[in-house]
Structure formats: C-alpha cells, structure tokens
Amino acid sequence: MNLPALATPATDDFRPFHPVVPHGGVLRDLAAPHAEAELLRRRSASLPGVVLDAQQLCDLELLINGAFSPLEGFLGRADYDSVVERLRLADGTLWPIPITLGVDEVAAARLSVGDEIALRDAQGVPLAILEVSDIWRPDREREAREVFGTVDRLHPGVARLLDGTAPVALGGKIRGIGRIAHFDFAELRDTPRALRDWFAANGWDRIVAFQTRNPMHRAHRELTLRAAEKVGAKLLIQPVVGLTKPDDVDHYTRVRCYRALLPQYPADSVKLSLLPLAMRMGGPREALWHAIIRKNYGATHFIVGRDHAGPGNGADGKPFYDPFAAQALLQEHEKELGIAIVPFPAMVYAANRDSYLPSTEVVEDDDVRDISGTQLRKHLRDGTEIPSWFSFPEVVDILRERHPARAARGFALFFTGLSGAGKSTIAQAVLALLLERTARPVTVLDGDEVRRHVSRGLGFSREDRAANVTRIGYIASEVVRHGGIAICAPIAPFADARAEARALVEAHGGFVEIHVTTDIGVCEARDRKGLYAQARAGKIANFTGVNDPYEVPEQPELRLDGDAASPEVLAARVLELLRKRELID
C-alpha cells in the first residue's frame, strides 16, 4: 500500500489553521435536467439492465450528486490501475479508492464497448444510464493488497471485495435519470450543491467536518467543540448512513442519537447532514477519500482521528493500520487536497479532574476512565447504569430503547459442507440443545426442505445455487431481525453466495458460519440415495464434490469434522461458541 513514512502527531494536535479554502471545487453533478431525464427514462426501457447491490447504489448516488467529483462515472481500466497503484486517476488527479461497477459473466458476455446499459435498483427503477467504455477483469487480490494492504478476510472491505464482488468490471460515464429517493430523514439528506448553498446563505465560511459511523457521546462532543474552536469554524457533523461495519449500530438509531445531541452545542454552531457512503474501512486511503468528499460538500477543514476508518485487528491479532497512518497521509497531501486537516487525539475522561482532556495531556496521576463498545453493549444488555460522565441521558435513552435490557440478540447458524457431511444431523442436535435451554423461537432452514418449499424450480447451475443460498440468507435475516434464531444447513458451495447470506443476516444480528469438513469418502459411505455413485457415473451433473466445485470457507467461525465425534458432542461445541460470543446465556 502506498503510504508515507509514519509519524507520531505533534504535541499540539489541535494546531490552528488560518487559510480558508473556497466551498469545495468544481462539482460534477451528473443528474440530467428534467426534460432530458424523462427521455433517458423512456430510453432505459429498451436497454439491458444491471441491478445494483447496496454498495453500488451508494456509489451511484454520490457519483450523480457530485460528492465523488471529479469522477464522471465508474472507473475505466486505465483510471482503475492508476488509482490502485498510485492513489491517482490516470490524469494525475488525487483519488485513492477504486469506484468500479462489477457484473457477472453472463451480463458481461452480452455487452460490448460503446453499449448503453440501464442501472436499476432492486425494484427495477432506472436510476442512470452508463455508456460502456471498458470491460475487463480486475485482479481483486492485487487490489486488496494495494488498496487495503492485506488479503485478510477479517478486514470487511477485503471480504466484500474478494467474496462479494462480481468478476467483471464495467467502466464508463453515467447520466443520472433522477435523484435516488430516501424516505428516512429526508430533510437531513443534503446534496453537495444544497449544502454549499446552505453554508453561503447562513454566512458560514469556515466549516470543520466530523466523520462518524457510531453514536456520539460526551467525548465526541468535547472533541468536536475543541476542534471547531481551535480553527475558528462552524461544525458539520456528517455521519455515514450507507454501508459501515456489519456490527455497527443501525443508522436509524444513530441519527436519532445525533439529533438528541445537537442541543448540547452552542446555538448556530453545528449542522447535521447525512452521507450515504458505502465505507470500505480502508484506513489511510479511506481517510484521504473522506477528505475529498467533505471538500465537495463545502467543508474547509476536516477532523482526522486516531485510526481513522480502521477496521480493527487482523487474523494475527494486530491492527490493520498504524493508528497515525491516516493523519500522516492526509498531512502529506494537505495542500493538494484543498481542505485543511485537523488531526486530533482521543478525548479521555479524568475522574480526578471531572473533565475530558486530550490523551496527549494526561499525566501520571490522572484517573482515566473509559467505556469500550463491548462494555457499553453489556451495560445495555444487562440494564446496568451507564455513568453520566460517559454520555448524555437523552442518547442513553435512545440506545436503551433500541437495545432493551435482557433482550436476546437474533443470530443465524450457517452450516456449510458437502452432501452427507452431517450438517443436518448436527443442526438437529443443536436445535434440541437450544430448545432445552430457551423458549426463544428457532427456525431450521435445511437444504432439502428449502429446495422443496422455497426454491422449487431452481436447478443446480452456479446462478441457481446462488439464488437458493440468497433466499436462505434473506429468510434467516428476517428471523434474526425479530430476535429469533435461524439454523441453516445448505451445501452452499460458493464463497460469494455465502458472503451475500452473511451480509443479509449481519444487517440485523449475528452470523456464525460452521464448516462441516467431513472427508468426501465418509460422505460417500453415508450416501443412502446413491447420489455420489450416480454423479461419478455421469448420471447427475453439477454434483458438488464430484463434478462441481466446493469452495472451502477460509475463515469460518467454527470447523467441525462430522466423523470425529457424535452429533451431540459436536453440537455442544457449537453451543460453547455461542456462549463465548454472548449470543446465548
């Protein structure tokens, strides 16, 4: 990954800034005027279409409204290669994150350079037309190494890139048919142009933007107040409400918390506006990207914290990024960015002073206290007191309403493995042990039963298998959303389909992937239907493990050998994992 030499921030982390940059640069608003948009809408009906996933929808929205200026569409190959290798578009313009449109093999095979395609949402509504300029196969592992600095799938951006991104990329300019509609918090969803106009109308000429994807507590208020005061600016709180980490607090709850926090700021000092961004959790590169986006929204300064956009630790137990790498990278490019960078240390509570102070000002005698995210969740779950020094009662009330004490969190167990591995048997043993211990609703989604009742008519092509697993993931996500337990036991041979099921479930609760690793010889010996023999004789096509591949999960939460112990013993191991993850008592 192309990063500068790392440096510890200066002692005065809130250094003053005097220059004021204009409200952003040139905006490339890609939305067609009304009359043209109507013509594009009509033309889209005769064009081949691509249905966008959640990340692509976020990317498209920020392309159309100009937040991704200077981009005019999804990157072509030359720009993609340049961004991956040197954080710049092919013309040298600073841009650190590849914005590509992935499609599957079938869709790509029907297209040629120069074709037009309609970009649609899940309901089939046309949102934009793309003129295809490039069709190519990105090297996703190379992209992961260069952009994220790792191929470790514990990194959520890497996991989505490697397991949830279609193999072929389309590049080309887009023309927006209309703004993407949102029915939630509509009054807070400013476009870059609208927010710039608001700043100008209200006489705000110095604006410091604060990025967040979590609820804000007293430490965040102190930090943002100090940062704004230090640079003599008004404050823009612009939380991400697109895609964040899978286990983050949902954006509906977070926005309610932000609103409850606003009265704690001086009058006419803060503006709340939502950013529909799909975060990649890309650390330093992502921080640079955030700064460019905030400049496009009209901010003159941007707060960059310790481990900005960091996703936590990798498989080796170490953080993916140095905590000060983002600050170093942005300071290197500050003049070129056209937005002033405000680095800040963590704010900590010193009980002996009864006040918050920057971590750089802590002395040996200070009694520093903190509550981690894990501890906060435990307080909410147990109904125990959350200290007043940590958060405001209005914020705590909203979090308690969303996470009532003693309420059980929904989760899905997702067994995957070859036919005959023992998935269904272990799942039934887990079901029995759970029902012995709890009255919580448990739904079993067995592979054969789902095929019979939900996926009737689907075959065993890769596309049909993916559709089957997606249906299982969707049903499981609805069970989990209502606090239930879903036990899924499909073969699910392909990593991308399993990743999609995980994403559906993790939007609402926990997901535990269990790879049943039973040797294929054992599976064949158990095969009472003779399916393996028929497949080897060529009578059954697309049979996993014989004439169709099984992509072994790289980092499941648990691996079980279905021949190593009795189903009861293996089920007990599953429950032990659930207790460790605090999914059951």
Side-chain angles (χ1 to χ4, degrees):
M1 182 164 55
N2 299 311
L3 298 178
L6 302 179
T8 302
T11 303
D12 181 9
D13 292 284
F14 295 103
R15 71 186 196 277
F17 292 94
H18 300 292
V20 176
V21 297
H23 289 311
V26 175
L27 278 180
R28 297 190 183 277
D29 189 326
L30 305 181
H34 179 73
E36 182 186 347
E38 187 55 36
L39 293 175
L40 292 173
R41 181 178 289 104
R42 293 175 185 173
R43 191 159 88 237
S44 70
S46 62
L47 296 176
V50 172
V51 176
L52 304 182
D53 63 22
Q55 177 174 301
Q56 292 166 339
L57 279 170
C58 289
D59 288 349
L60 180 65
E61 179 168 5
L62 296 184
L63 283 168
I64 291 175
N65 71 19
F68 280 179
S69 295
L71 303 192
E72 297 181 88
F74 290 97
L75 297 186
R77 184 165 193 171
D79 281 325
Y80 166 82
D81 286 338
S82 184
V83 168
V84 167
E85 292 171 7
R86 61 193 190 101
L87 293 85
R88 295 181 182 276
L89 301 174
D91 66 4
T93 302
L94 195 63
W95 188 268
I97 298 292
I99 307 298
T100 58
L101 178 62
V103 298
D104 61 32
E105 304 272 8
V106 175
R110 298 170 180 161
L111 296 172
S112 301
V113 170
D115 287 350
E116 289 185 328
I117 60 171
L119 306 182
R120 303 178 182 275
D121 66 14
Q123 286 72 46
V125 176
L127 304 172
I129 289 179
L130 178 142
E131 183 179 349
V132 179
S133 63
D134 293 86
I135 305 174
W136 84 101
R137 287 178 165 275
D139 183 340
R140 299 297 187 190
E141 286 207 0
R142 167 176 164 264
E143 181 179 339
R145 289 191 181 92
E146 293 294 326
V147 174
F148 298 114
T150 180
V151 292
D152 185 346
R153 283 175 168 81
L154 285 181
H155 189 301
V158 171
R160 191 194 185 285
L161 179 66
L162 298 184
D163 299 330
T165 304
V168 183
L170 305 181
K173 294 183 178 180
I174 64 167
R175 199 70 174 131
I177 293 175
R179 302 293 183 193
I180 295 176
H182 295 280
F183 301 108
D184 60 318
F185 308 114
E187 74 282 6
L188 298 177
R189 292 181 176 273
D190 304 289
T191 65
R193 175 64 63 197
L195 197 55
R196 289 189 191 191
D197 290 346
W198 189 93
F199 291 148
N202 286 272
W204 286 26
D205 59 2
R206 296 176 73 93
I207 302 102
V208 59
F210 179 64
Q211 152 90 25
T212 181
R213 41 169 261 272
N214 294 306
M216 291 175 65
H217 302 290
R218 288 185 183 269
H220 303 99
R221 174 186 173 274
E222 292 295 323
L223 182 153
T224 52
L225 277 174
R226 287 174 181 243
E229 180 182 356
K230 193 70 176 180
V231 299
K234 305 286 191 177
L235 175 65
L236 169 64
I237 298 176
Q238 195 174 41
V240 172
V241 294
L243 296 181
T244 58
K245 284 185 69 177
D247 57 350
D248 283 346
V249 175
D250 66 276
H251 81 268
Y252 299 99
T253 301
R254 289 191 287 112
V255 174
R256 292 176 62 206
C257 289
Y258 303 139
R259 279 176 159 172
L261 186 69
L262 292 183
Q264 304 298 331
Y265 288 91
D268 190 37
S269 69
V270 60
K271 172 75 170 172
L272 174 63
S273 186
L274 309 185
L275 180 67
L277 177 73
M279 290 185 68
R280 273 64 164 180
M281 303 306 297
R285 281 203 187 216
E286 178 121 358
L288 190 62
W289 189 39
H290 290 174
I292 294 170
I293 293 168
R294 272 30 183 252
K295 181 186 73 172
N296 286 330
Y297 273 93
T300 59
H301 298 71
F302 182 53
I303 300 172
V304 183
R306 187 181 187 276
D307 196 29
H308 187 107
N313 296 339
D316 59 2
K318 298 177 181 178
F320 282 106
Y321 306 112
D322 182 281
F324 303 114
Q327 293 180 0
L329 183 63
L330 269 76
Q331 286 170 346
E332 177 188 350
H333 295 287
E334 186 173 15
K335 289 184 180 179
E336 184 179 3
L337 277 170
I339 186 170
I341 304 307
V342 185
F344 69 83
M347 298 295 294
V348 297
Y349 178 71
N352 55 304
R353 306 193 201 188
D354 190 25
S355 65
Y356 277 89
L357 64 155
S359 59
T360 51
E361 296 179 13
V362 172
V363 298
E364 186 177 353
D365 293 337
D366 283 325
D367 178 11
V368 174
R369 299 182 186 180
D370 189 22
I371 294 179
S372 68
T374 300
Q375 290 170 325
L376 176 59
R377 288 190 291 272
K378 189 174 189 307
H379 279 300
L380 294 170
R381 185 172 61 250
D382 296 345
T384 50
E385 181 183 1
I386 297 173
S388 59
W389 57 260
F390 176 75
S391 193
F392 296 95
E394 298 87 348
V395 173
V396 171
D397 287 346
I398 292 169
L399 293 175
R400 287 199 188 281
E401 181 184 0
R402 178 63 180 86
H403 302 282
R406 299 297 176 185
R409 181 185 181 214
F411 65 89
L413 296 174
F414 193 93
F415 291 88
T416 174
L418 298 175
S419 176
K423 303 182 299 298
S424 297
T425 304
I426 300 170
Q428 288 297 322
V430 169
L431 171 66
L433 292 181
L434 284 172
L435 293 179
E436 281 183 4
R437 292 161 170 78
T438 180
R440 294 176 64 184
V442 185
T443 300
V444 176
L445 299 170
D446 182 73
D448 290 341
E449 291 297 314
V450 170
R451 281 275 180 181
R452 187 174 301 115
H453 299 293
V454 179
S455 295
R456 182 182 300 174
L458 290 181
F460 291 89
S461 66
R462 185 178 185 116
E463 293 75 20
D464 282 359
R465 286 180 181 274
N468 180 56
V469 173
T470 298
R471 292 178 187 183
I472 291 172
Y474 173 74
I475 296 170
S477 74
E478 288 297 295
V479 171
V480 169
R481 183 164 70 93
H482 294 286
I485 301 170
I487 301 178
C488 314
I491 293 173
F494 299 115
D496 55 355
R498 295 194 298 263
E500 184 172 358
R502 177 185 288 272
L504 287 167
V505 171
E506 287 186 334
H508 305 294
F511 186 91
V512 178
E513 184 178 41
I514 302 168
H515 178 209
V516 183
T517 66
T518 313
D519 183 79
I520 191 170
V522 175
C523 296
E524 291 195 56
R526 292 175 174 174
D527 182 17
R528 290 174 293 180
K529 299 178 183 178
L531 299 177
Y532 278 96
Q534 293 179 59
R536 294 194 185 283
K539 298 179 180 179
I540 299 178
N542 304 117
F543 191 82
T544 302
V546 177
N547 47 26
D548 219 36
Y550 178 82
E551 296 174 2
V552 175
E554 295 198 6
Q555 293 179 325
E557 280 74 12
L558 184 63
R559 294 191 197 274
L560 298 174
D561 182 347
D563 194 43
S566 69
E568 294 84 357
V569 170
L570 297 175
R573 287 186 58 192
V574 174
L575 262 67
E576 180 183 1
L577 176 64
L578 296 179
R579 281 190 287 269
K580 285 182 179 178
R581 290 178 171 257
E582 299 183 339
L583 292 170
I584 62 173
D585 295 328

